[in-house]
Amino acid sequence: MPTVLCIEAQPAVAEHARHFLEQVTPRLRFVTAGSGREGLALARAHTPEVVLLDLALPDGDGLELIEPLLVNDDLFPGWFLNVVLQGEVEG
């Protein structure tokens, strides 16, 4: 089953992404992290095919996570997707 790791500071945004992707691809494991540190740990545990990455994380810049994830193909052999949203998402 393909795994998507969503590293997102706002739980409502992560939930919207989960809801959308589960409608499009029901056979999907969706894992969420609220911080960069948690995201790296979950990448090690789940080896996602896709990472949805927030740039404004509580413990640093999301861009700083790309290198540690890409250095080791066993951690993350897939694709990054970054979506920039303006304003707040209601949840």
Side-chain angles (χ1 to χ4, degrees):
M1 180 178 305
T3 299
V4 172
L5 171 58
C6 180
I7 305 173
E8 171 57 57
Q10 295 183 46
V13 173
E15 189 54 38
H16 283 286
R18 174 196 302 270
H19 179 72
F20 172 77
L21 289 174
E22 286 177 346
Q23 286 182 342
V24 175
T25 309
R27 295 182 50 92
L28 184 72
R29 180 172 45 178
F30 194 90
V31 182
T32 61
S35 69
R37 182 176 298 137
E38 183 184 8
L40 286 174
L42 289 174
R44 288 183 187 96
H46 296 283
T47 315
E49 282 77 22
V50 174
V51 174
L52 306 177
L53 180 59
D54 184 358
L55 295 181
L57 295 168
D59 58 350
D61 185 342
L63 291 175
E64 294 172 0
L65 294 180
I66 293 175
E67 185 177 353
L69 289 169
L70 291 179
V71 167
N72 184 346
D73 282 347
D74 293 335
L75 246 185
F76 174 64
W79 295 86
F80 280 97
L81 177 64
N82 178 278
V83 177
V84 177
L85 296 175
Q86 297 290 330
E88 295 291 317
V89 174
E90 294 181 19

